[in-house]
Amino acid sequence: ILQAKCSDQVIGLAGFRIGHKLAWGKHLYIDDLVTDEDARSKGIGFAMLNWLEDHAKTMDCAQIHLDSGVQRFQAHKFYAITVTIKILR
């Protein structure tokens, strides 16, 4: 679990795992990515995704994947700008 903190208060969390699939090879899969409502649009999600990308490269992952529920319109706008499937090699 990745935590983003400000003054010892957790303002963002990301649940992720490293996996292997025939279609994707070794990959980092983001199960959950959430920021505190008051901390949104302040770069927290972007910073967490940057950390996750760096971690995926360190772990020699070929790709990053993230799923999100269709009802999460604001999150989808952010993901569309930031990442859907990232090919690292």
Side-chain angles (χ1 to χ4, degrees):
I1 294 178
L2 171 63
Q3 291 183 359
K5 288 185 170 185
C6 180
S7 302
D8 289 331
Q9 181 178 355
V10 176
I11 57 173
L13 288 171
F16 65 95
R17 57 195 150 114
I18 305 294
H20 296 265
K21 293 201 184 303
L22 292 175
W24 300 344
K26 188 174 182 181
H27 62 280
L28 185 142
Y29 186 89
I30 303 168
D31 293 296
D32 302 292
L33 178 66
V34 63
T35 56
D36 183 271
E37 195 169 342
D38 294 334
R40 292 186 185 150
S41 299
K42 296 181 179 170
I44 305 304
F46 188 74
M48 288 193 297
L49 285 173
N50 281 338
W51 186 93
L52 289 163
E53 180 179 348
D54 289 344
H55 184 64
K57 289 177 182 175
T58 299
M59 298 300 293
D60 199 32
C61 294
Q63 299 180 17
I64 296 173
H65 288 264
L66 174 147
D67 285 334
S68 181
V70 295
Q71 74 282 4
R72 300 186 65 226
F73 301 112
Q74 288 301 104
H76 286 197
K77 284 174 59 177
F78 170 69
Y79 299 144
I81 294 167
T82 311
V83 65
T84 350
I85 295 175
K86 189 124 190 180
I87 308 299
L88 300 176
R89 292 184 187 158

